[in-house]
Amino acid sequence: MGKRGLILLAGTLAGILPCGAATSQTAPSSVLNTQIQLGDVFATQTLNVETVSDQTAAASGATANSYEAASTGKRVDMRSNQTAGGGVTSQTQVNVGANSGAKTAATAVATGNSGYAGVTGATMTGVYTQTTNAVPIAAINKIEAPNAQAGDVSASSQALGNTQSLSVSGGTAGLRVNQANAAQVTSDGGGVYGLVTGQARFDAATISNNVSYSGDSGSGTAMAVWQNNTADLTQAAQFTNYGQVQDAKTTAQATGNNVSAVNNGFVLDANVQQHNQSYVRAQAESTAAYFGAVSSTASGVGNNALLGDVGGEVLIDNSQLNDGGGIEAVASTTAQDGYDASATASATGNSVTGYACGSCDGRMTVNNSQTNNSEVGATGTVTTTGSVRSASGVSTATGNSATYYVSRPSGQ
């Protein structure tokens, strides 16, 4: 959608402004951003350690295009066009001989196009377009410590095709986001440890198209989002193995298209159109010989939208179509001797959640359409070979899920 679409959004916003609101006659500041990245972008970080007493930390991050724009107290109009035409790879590798210390942290983040736009105490209009071509975008994060120990361990792999963040504080906005992803987006990794005496957290998260919006201090926003994921694969995978571990969690979450918009103000008017054609796969596997608690969690979603307003009105016009190679979530836990072992797998074709605050005179209007033409499968496996206190597993598969509610915010 071009200028005409933005005018429609601005008109919608003007029609729901509070009666006392005034508009300035001063021309807004304008920002035009055009970014095209055609070559490969990669970042690699390797740590080889023998014995560390305090902390081991390693991080890598690679992004094809990055854009940020913000205004405080002044009207602003933005246009951003980003195209990622080369591969993006972020890889972190940690090799440990004896001990990686009291705290060990490793991260890898790979992103095709990234944008941020925000306004405080003013009005923002904007059109943000992000396109990734059929190239690989991969985040890889691994810890190899088969004969080593550690205190607490935190490791994460995150891969994003397109991601746009928006924020409005004490202002108003009319926004349009267009995202098209053809890139194979994957996050992969895991770890092997001989002994972890504290918590071990290994996470993988992949989203092909992502939009996040936050509004506060009485803001009002009209936004339209169009997302199309045509990649052959959207995948998150995490594999862990422990000789002995106190508390281990291994998670993998893969999403084709995602919109998260939460407003604290007088109105959120959201029009969301999502089309996923990609095979979405989430896989989390963990093995432990001796353990206190060990779990694996895998979640795969084709299209996901979370839309809410606390304090005012939320208008939702939502359309989701999932017809790609299918949605699959696989969680597996294998344990020998210990206490609590579990595996949780969930797979969903289309999911939308909308809410308004009932105690804040909130009101909600919804027009929802969901179509799933793909297979959706969730598989969870728990295998114990010795003596354990508990073994539990949950697997859920849903074609279309819609949840709407008007309620009091938590804690009030």
Side-chain angles (χ1 to χ4, degrees):
M1 185 180 294
K3 290 184 177 179
R4 179 177 178 273
L6 187 60
I7 290 171
L8 290 175
L9 279 174
T12 300
L13 186 64
I16 53 180
L17 284 171
C19 295
T23 57
S24 171
Q25 299 304 311
T26 304
S29 298
S30 62
V31 177
L32 175 61
N33 174 65
T34 301
Q35 296 174 316
I36 301 174
Q37 173 63 39
L38 298 179
D40 292 342
V41 178
F42 59 91
T44 302
Q45 176 63 57
T46 302
L47 285 184
N48 299 308
V49 300
E50 183 62 28
T51 301
V52 174
S53 60
D54 188 14
Q55 182 179 12
T56 297
S60 64
T63 303
N65 296 304
S66 179
Y67 158 75
E68 293 187 14
S71 176
T72 299
K74 300 293 184 181
R75 285 196 301 153
V76 62
D77 179 69
M78 303 177 185
R79 299 290 187 278
S80 177
N81 299 282
Q82 296 175 308
T83 300
V88 180
T89 303
S90 175
Q91 184 166 0
T92 298
Q93 178 78 42
V94 179
N95 303 308
V96 186
N99 195 328
S100 60
K103 293 186 179 297
T104 302
T107 61
V109 180
T111 307
N113 295 306
S114 176
Y116 168 78
V119 67
T120 300
T123 297
M124 173 173 65
T125 53
V127 178
Y128 312 91
T129 301
Q130 297 176 320
T131 304
T132 55
N133 296 338
V135 294
I137 297 176
I140 305 166
N141 185 20
K142 296 182 179 180
I143 300 178
E144 297 290 341
N147 302 310
Q149 68 179 40
D152 293 329
V153 180
S154 174
S156 66
S157 307
Q158 183 182 75
L160 298 161
N162 297 304
T163 182
Q164 178 68 50
S165 298
L166 305 162
S167 69
V168 179
S169 181
T172 56
L175 308 170
R176 172 77 192 188
V177 181
N178 305 303
Q179 294 179 324
N181 176 71
Q184 177 175 292
V185 187
T186 60
S187 59
D188 184 24
V192 179
Y193 262 101
L195 170 64
V196 177
T197 59
Q199 295 182 338
R201 302 288 185 266
F202 283 81
D203 305 312
T206 297
I207 306 176
S208 288
N209 291 311
N210 180 65
V211 173
S212 60
Y213 163 85
S214 64
D216 60 34
S217 303
S219 296
T221 293
M223 61 187 298
V225 177
W226 176 85
Q227 296 176 319
N228 189 22
N229 182 28
T230 60
D232 59 353
L233 177 65
T234 300
Q235 177 174 278
Q238 201 79 167
F239 305 92
T240 57
N241 180 276
Y242 306 95
Q244 184 174 342
V245 62
Q246 179 61 34
D247 183 8
K249 292 183 179 180
T250 303
T251 64
Q253 183 172 6
T255 306
N257 297 306
N258 183 71
V259 175
S260 176
V262 178
N263 191 61
N264 190 337
F266 64 92
V267 69
L268 173 66
D269 186 348
N271 181 297
V272 176
Q273 300 179 54
Q274 297 174 315
H275 185 191
N276 177 64
Q277 303 175 61
S278 177
Y279 169 46
V280 178
R281 178 180 174 86
Q283 184 172 6
E285 296 189 7
S286 187
T287 302
Y290 304 96
F291 62 95
V294 59
S295 67
S296 299
T297 303
S299 173
V301 183
N303 298 303
N304 183 67
L306 171 65
L307 309 165
D309 194 294
V310 179
E313 182 177 12
V314 58
L315 298 93
I316 298 173
D317 191 347
N318 180 69
S319 175
Q320 296 175 322
L321 172 60
N322 182 61
D323 61 356
I327 312 297
E328 186 174 14
V330 178
S332 174
T333 297
T334 301
Q336 183 175 314
D337 293 305
Y339 288 86
D340 305 316
S342 65
T344 303
S346 64
T348 307
N350 298 303
S351 177
V352 60
T353 300
Y355 66 89
C357 170
S359 62
C360 316
D361 295 325
R363 186 176 66 172
M364 181 167 56
T365 303
V366 177
N367 180 22
N368 178 55
S369 173
Q370 294 174 309
T371 302
N372 178 59
N373 296 320
S374 300
E375 292 185 352
V376 178
T379 303
T381 304
V382 177
T383 303
T384 62
T385 59
S387 176
V388 303
R389 181 172 65 181
S390 70
S392 61
V394 177
S395 295
T396 57
T398 307
N400 298 304
S401 174
T403 304
Y404 304 102
Y405 58 93
V406 178
S407 64
R408 181 187 301 270
S410 60
Q412 295 188 17

